[in-house]
Amino acid sequence: MASTSNFNPNPSFLLPPPHHPKAQTHLSHNPKTLTTDPDPKLVITGGAKLSGHVSISGSKNSALSILAATLCCSGTSKLRNVPNLSDTRTMVSILRSLGAEIEFSNNELAVNADQIGSVEPDPTRIGQIRGGFFVIGPLLGRFGEAVVGLPGGCDIGARPVDIYIGGLQALGAVVEVRDNKVVAYAANGKGLVGGSFKLEYPSVGATETLMMAASMAEGKTFLSNVAREPEIIDLACFLRKAGACVEGDGTNKICILGKSRLHGIEYGLMPDRIEMGTFMLAAAITRSCISLSPVLPQSLSSLIDKLSCSGCKITHKHETMELSAIPSSCRGDLQGFDIKTQPYPGFPTDLQAQTMALLSTCNGLSLVEESVFENRMSHVRELQKLGAKIHVCGSTALVYGKEKRANLYGTNVIANDLRGGMSLVLAGLAAEGITEISGMSHIDRGYENMEMKLQLLGADVKRLDLMKSTSSN
Ligand code: EPU
């Protein structure tokens, strides 16, 4: 695993890009220094019951936006509970490519962005994760200009950036897309100015990016039809503690009074509600009983309601939750249910695939409708290889539970994206025999110490390092 704790005070990409007033040269990417990571496989022997306790890591998606927000701050920001994942490490590389000084160890991260020397982050890294694009907000807010490559992320749909662009224009930016890069600068030649903007769709990333930009714009900004996800509230709490005036987060309207600069603070990230939901589903699919902490149950009431109706017994006290799906302690075996993914507080798209795996083991027929991303069904083909009976029509899937005897059995499958990949892990836990999952780099983007956590719960899960097995042959 690559370490991010070796802080390099003189990165070669500290120089600004050619168009920047302070620029001379900017060479950010040297392919010779890249090493190819072997993509390990996960081998699961299904059938084990889970028991015990699992610790939930800090939120990946909060980490990505709050890391971008540290660019607004003078002095050092210290973040706690930062998950050590390939996505957070990529975000660290993106900030370092701008000149930020970062130390990252033991889930604690210190960022000092005082010496930013570039407004153009490494495009290769930006192309790897969606969250990298968020830096356009703080860069534009702080420097009045930014050049950011079009973002990457999981292959789950077109994922355009038109809403980000419309919002930045409303704050006084001129924005052009050239050579796969978004080039933006303040029209007045100085900096952003507050404005009003209604998002066409409550995009999480666009809301976060505009919140950061508005925190450093002159005057007041009114954003409406914004996303209401708990990660938005986490970002707003960070910005407020750093000196910004932000109101309305958690509702569909946010009002921000800009400040010329925020200051570095200490901040602990919220627990990852998608990891929490995934482990709840792991207990449900194996008909087991586990406890989880720390959790914020209200951040996932849509899943809790569905699982309770399905027959799971869920209790919580303070930040600890217990879920039992053992048939003798529930109302018999679990019943199927319908879900439609929607922006918060609706059912999260990031739990659709894992829930589909569970539904393939429940009684009866279930309907799964994906309404957030247009291409988030690639796990279906792999779940079918494991014996799941699923029929897809466009963005809707009909999942036939046990009535069609959909017993899962182990085989070789491929993770094509983060959450879809995790649905295969859950199915493998419940399947008869051995499931071998390749494409683990997708899953590593979002689940910290996943197999160790499953092993501690009693699952038979092993990681095979392909590089090692090839060289020993
Ligand atoms: N959209 C547009 N135009 C835009 C922005 C978004 O049409 O300018 C559309 C998207 O194409 C999509 C919908 O709006 O159909 C929702 O996208 P949104 O912008 O809300 O998603 P995101 O910000 O790109 C974040 C999370 C995703 C999570 C979604 C929805 C991060 C880094 N990513 O993505 O997380 O699925 O919100 O909750 O915060 C994951 O963790 O696996 C993951 C994909």
Side-chain angles (χ1 to χ4, degrees):
M1 189 181 287
S3 164
T4 47
S5 59
N6 299 329
F7 168 62
N8 172 5
N10 285 313
S12 60
F13 31 64
L14 206 140
L15 294 169
H19 70 277
H20 190 269
K22 297 174 204 150
Q24 286 164 15
T25 50
H26 177 74
L27 271 179
S28 61
H29 178 52
N30 175 4
K32 280 187 195 152
T33 61
L34 290 178
T35 54
T36 36
D37 278 329
D39 203 356
K41 280 188 179 181
L42 199 71
V43 180
I44 305 175
T45 306
K49 294 283 174 216
L50 307 185
S51 63
H53 181 81
V54 63
S55 297
I56 301 302
S57 298
S59 161
K60 165 182 83 81
N61 289 343
S62 278
L64 297 177
S65 66
I66 291 175
L67 268 166
T70 62
L71 293 174
C72 301
C73 301
S74 61
T76 301
S77 301
K78 290 188 178 157
L79 304 180
R80 283 175 278 112
N81 209 22
V82 181
N84 188 352
L85 299 166
S86 61
D87 270 20
T88 46
R89 293 192 295 269
T90 302
M91 193 66 178
V92 164
S93 307
I94 288 169
L95 299 192
R96 282 188 177 145
S97 77
L98 293 163
E101 299 179 352
I102 302 180
E103 288 181 63
F104 186 15
S105 66
N106 298 327
N107 298 115
E108 294 195 352
L109 197 146
V111 189
N112 185 307
D114 285 343
Q115 302 301 321
I116 296 292
S118 167
V119 293
E120 180 169 359
D122 179 351
T124 312
R125 298 292 188 194
I126 294 284
Q128 289 168 353
I129 56 169
R130 180 74 172 171
F133 191 72
F134 302 167
V135 300
I136 196 168
L139 286 176
L140 207 43
R142 182 169 155 194
F143 297 105
E145 60 180 331
V147 180
V148 185
L150 288 170
C154 282
D155 186 11
I156 51 182
R159 308 189 81 178
V161 291
D162 54 314
I163 302 173
Y164 298 67
I165 292 178
L168 295 172
Q169 284 168 335
L171 297 182
V174 175
V175 188
E176 292 158 21
V177 182
R178 282 188 234 142
D179 303 332
N180 273 334
K181 286 178 184 173
V182 178
V183 179
Y185 53 92
N188 62 10
K190 290 188 283 183
L192 296 181
V193 279
S196 294
F197 183 68
K198 180 175 180 190
L199 283 73
E200 199 179 310
Y201 182 91
S203 153
V204 174
T207 302
E208 292 170 343
T209 301
L210 296 175
M211 285 166 71
M212 293 183 252
S215 292
M216 299 195 78
E218 196 188 321
K220 266 195 174 174
T221 295
F222 299 93
L223 302 171
S224 55
N225 197 29
V226 292
R228 292 186 281 161
E229 268 68 3
E231 292 77 14
I232 302 283
I233 300 179
D234 213 17
L235 172 64
C237 290
F238 173 86
L239 291 170
R240 266 194 295 271
K241 200 170 174 196
C245 287
V246 182
E247 283 173 12
D249 44 295
T251 75
N252 64 0
K253 286 192 185 73
I254 293 181
C255 173
I256 298 177
L257 175 63
K259 292 276 166 79
S260 57
R261 193 80 191 268
L262 308 183
H263 53 83
I265 54 158
E266 274 198 48
Y267 190 79
L269 304 184
M270 65 177 271
D272 196 306
R273 66 193 171 100
I274 303 303
E275 190 194 18
M276 160 190 164
T278 302
F279 276 98
M280 290 169 71
L281 289 160
I285 201 169
T286 53
R287 307 299 191 263
S288 302
C289 176
I290 65 166
S291 63
L292 315 87
S293 75
V295 296
L296 299 174
Q298 68 279 16
S299 69
L300 213 51
S301 44
S302 55
L303 177 71
I304 292 172
D305 290 350
K306 291 288 181 185
L307 289 179
S308 301
C309 290
S310 171
C312 295
K313 217 164 116 192
I314 302 173
T315 53
H316 58 86
K317 199 169 178 192
H318 308 301
E319 290 198 333
T320 302
M321 170 182 284
E322 188 176 275
L323 183 145
S324 174
I326 299 173
S328 59
S329 69
C330 304
R331 305 183 305 270
D333 200 11
L334 302 185
Q335 295 297 319
F337 51 88
D338 298 342
I339 57 167
K340 178 179 182 181
T341 66
Q342 275 172 327
Y344 190 83
F347 196 92
T349 174
D350 292 345
L351 286 172
Q352 178 259 106
Q354 304 92 310
T355 306
M356 197 186 290
L358 168 68
L359 292 172
S360 69
T361 68
C362 291
N363 288 326
L365 195 64
S366 307
L367 203 64
V368 173
E369 201 181 332
E370 172 59 56
S371 87
V372 178
F373 291 106
E374 68 271 26
N375 184 25
R376 210 171 198 182
M377 288 281 174
S378 66
H379 48 280
V380 170
R381 198 179 50 238
E382 304 303 309
L383 287 172
Q384 286 166 338
K385 289 184 195 164
L386 292 166
K389 302 277 184 290
I390 304 171
H391 177 76
V392 178
C393 183
S395 295
T396 302
L398 208 52
V399 186
Y400 297 90
K402 286 202 182 137
E403 278 159 16
K404 281 222 170 174
R405 305 184 60 76
N407 286 336
L408 303 179
Y409 42 82
T411 188
N412 294 355
V413 285
I414 305 166
N416 295 303
D417 67 83
L418 163 56
R419 309 301 176 186
M422 199 59 203
S423 77
L424 306 178
V425 175
L426 299 194
L429 293 174
E432 260 179 64
I434 296 179
T435 300
E436 211 172 284
I437 304 173
S438 54
M440 284 303 295
S441 57
H442 291 291
I443 300 178
D444 291 339
R445 300 177 64 156
Y447 291 94
E448 187 178 48
N449 299 329
M450 182 265 294
E451 67 266 26
M452 198 187 81
K453 290 183 183 186
L454 284 173
Q455 282 160 1
L456 285 173
L457 291 172
D460 189 341
V461 179
K462 273 191 283 299
R463 184 175 285 246
L464 281 190
D465 185 325
L466 287 185
M467 204 71 134
K468 277 187 197 147
S469 57
T470 323
S471 54
S472 62
N473 279 337

